[in-house]
Amino acid sequence: NLADFSGKESFTSGLQEAIDALPESGGMVWVPPGIYTLRRHARLRRNVAIRGAGSSSLITRTPEVFSALVSEAQSGDTSVQVESPAAFTVGMEVSVFDTAQHGWYATHAFIMDINGNWLSLDRPIHRPCLLERKGTVAHAFSAFVGWEVSGCELEGLCIDGGNTSGQSLFADFTVSAIHLVRTMDARVTRCIVRHWPADGFSVQGGAGAMVTDCLAEGCLGHGFHPGTSLQHSLWTNNMGRNNGRDGLYFCMYVLHSVVSGNTFYGNGRHGIGGLGDGGDQYNVVANNTCVSNARHGIEASRGQNNTISSNICLNNSQGEPSKYSGIGLIDVTGMTVNANRCLDDQEVRTQAYGIEESGASDQNLIVTNHCRGNLTGSIRTVGADTKQVDNLE
């Protein structure tokens, strides 16, 4: 029971202490109703489940603060010099980055000591961060991190980043609210992420992940983010609404995964984006509803061999009317696009085409789709060997 470990002296409101108290074989941490504030992430372990009571089990974070570096942070350094040390406290987690060193190349560390304007870190700098590239230290971190573990579970938690400004200095996927890396058979069920200053749910690499019955709302990045060679994953019955980027974003070599039965609306880019970009293949995107997103309902780009079936893409291209379509196929081949309903029923229409091929797209199969009522047209193809059959236009 987390209540047995929660205390002001804990940087994770007792979460990490409760996880660490479980036997090596694993177990369950119960998060009773209450508010639990993090200054650093909680690290998941093999066969450990974190379970809460839904919205009443609220995980929050201390506000994001940051400062510019005043001297360069070189690889191997274990301390950094900042302009404004008063923003930081011992024990909090920080990210050290610049305009070139972000994503996997940023450094994430805990502050061990503060001496003048020097912050001592618990691990060395991963890549050099330079003043000319706007080197910065920010109190940016995940709520939960699972790294190369099997059988970890999160269920019935509400994670609120508290970001109401609509901006963050480091809105990077490596500080997503839930960030799982090369895990096996991870389970995330009935969790809510709101207002996180990055992505909501990030699963990078590994296999067998299932993210089901979750809500990502008002995050500055993507709502859901499968990426980095993730295989055999399942994303079902989720909702992504009013996030700053895509409702769900495919990224880099996602294989044999299913995105089905989800609802994505009001997002700042696509409902579902990036499918195919970076080598995603043999994925199925089916039975989703993508409504009133700023760009495409579903975007597939620069890839091949994925299936888009039985989705509803309605009233998209809200950000730039007439520029984006229900389903956008950009430089893709070998796609099967069938039985989708891509429509616009607004008084002032915004969605350009129902389905639109562009660029070097070719050899796609576009069949039995319903695409009436869009602003520019029903279906547009450019590929000489693309097959368009039995569509209602």
Side-chain angles (χ1 to χ4, degrees):
N1 193 321
L2 178 58
D4 296 335
F5 296 87
S6 183
K8 292 182 179 180
E9 68 278 3
S10 171
F11 301 119
T12 62
S13 287
L15 271 167
Q16 194 63 61
E17 289 82 357
I19 292 168
D20 293 343
L22 292 169
E24 185 177 349
S25 58
M28 189 264 283
V29 173
W30 165 245
V31 182
I35 300 175
Y36 307 93
T37 301
L38 307 179
R39 285 184 279 168
R40 60 169 68 168
H41 73 261
R43 181 64 64 103
L44 302 174
R45 286 176 36 204
R46 181 178 66 90
N47 295 339
V48 166
I50 315 294
R51 293 198 171 100
S55 296
S56 61
S57 295
L58 180 60
I59 311 295
T60 65
R61 51 157 293 161
T62 44
E64 181 178 352
V65 295
F66 58 88
S67 177
L69 292 172
V70 295
S71 63
E72 294 181 350
Q74 299 294 339
S75 298
D77 288 351
T78 55
S79 60
V80 292
Q81 189 177 24
V82 296
E83 188 176 87
S84 304
F88 303 98
T89 60
V90 172
M92 71 164 43
E93 184 173 357
V94 294
S95 297
V96 186
F97 60 97
D98 64 18
T99 55
Q101 311 298 3
H102 47 82
W104 297 119
Y105 301 131
T107 298
H108 306 285
F110 303 147
I111 297 175
M112 303 301 291
D113 188 34
I114 301 175
N115 186 4
N117 65 345
W118 286 90
L119 311 180
S120 296
L121 308 177
D122 73 327
R123 65 198 66 188
I125 296 296
H126 181 47
R127 295 286 185 94
C129 294
L130 309 182
L131 302 185
E132 64 193 46
R133 298 196 303 239
K134 299 182 179 179
T136 304
V137 178
H139 181 40
F141 62 101
S142 298
F144 293 95
V145 172
W147 197 284
E148 296 180 342
V149 295
S150 62
C152 61
E153 298 181 28
L154 295 168
E155 181 180 352
L157 302 170
C158 182
I159 304 170
D160 194 324
N163 188 303
T164 57
S165 67
Q167 60 185 357
S168 171
L169 207 64
F170 192 62
D172 190 274
F173 74 92
T174 58
V175 293
S176 300
I178 296 173
H179 185 49
L180 307 179
V181 182
R182 294 193 293 275
T183 58
M184 292 295 297
D185 300 330
R187 300 287 181 266
V188 184
T189 308
R190 295 190 304 105
C191 288
I192 298 168
V193 177
R194 291 192 174 106
H195 313 304
W196 198 259
D199 297 347
F201 299 78
S202 167
V203 183
Q204 307 298 315
M210 295 176 61
V211 180
T212 60
D213 299 295
C214 293
L215 168 66
E217 177 180 30
C219 297
L220 295 191
H222 307 296
F224 300 85
H225 184 168
T228 319
S229 302
L230 176 65
Q231 299 184 39
H232 319 305
S233 65
L234 185 62
W235 306 72
T236 61
N237 299 329
N238 302 296
M239 180 175 292
R241 64 190 181 200
N242 303 323
N243 297 291
R245 298 180 186 172
D246 295 345
L248 182 143
Y249 175 66
F250 281 87
C251 177
M252 298 295 292
Y253 299 107
V254 177
L255 301 174
H256 319 142
S257 293
V258 175
V259 174
S260 179
N262 306 285
T263 299
F264 302 111
Y265 69 91
N267 295 290
R269 296 203 319 191
H270 313 292
I272 298 172
L275 176 62
D277 194 6
D280 309 317
Q281 291 196 74
Y282 306 113
N283 301 292
V284 176
V285 174
N287 300 307
N288 303 286
T289 301
C290 299
V291 179
S292 298
N293 297 288
R295 298 185 182 179
H296 296 296
I298 299 173
E299 182 227 29
S301 58
R302 295 173 291 280
Q304 58 186 344
N305 300 329
N306 296 291
T307 297
I308 302 174
S309 178
S310 301
N311 302 280
I312 294 175
C313 295
L314 179 70
N315 301 345
N316 294 289
S317 198
Q318 292 289 326
E320 297 180 71
S322 80
K323 184 172 182 178
Y324 299 97
S325 297
I327 297 175
L329 306 174
I330 304 102
D331 301 324
V332 296
T333 59
M335 303 284 291
T336 298
V337 182
N338 73 291
N340 300 283
R341 297 177 63 88
C342 300
L343 312 171
D344 194 319
D345 65 359
Q346 305 167 96
E347 183 175 343
V348 179
R349 298 174 184 176
T350 58
Q351 190 165 279
Y353 290 90
I355 300 170
E356 180 183 11
E357 267 193 341
S358 61
S361 294
D362 201 2
Q363 300 178 3
N364 299 306
L365 184 62
I366 302 174
V367 297
T368 62
N369 299 281
H370 189 300
C371 295
R372 286 184 171 174
N374 295 284
L375 179 61
T376 307
S378 298
I379 297 176
R380 176 178 182 260
T381 61
V382 297
D385 294 319
T386 286
K387 301 299 182 185
Q388 182 191 159
V389 182
D390 294 335
N391 297 290
L392 185 59
E393 302 183 50

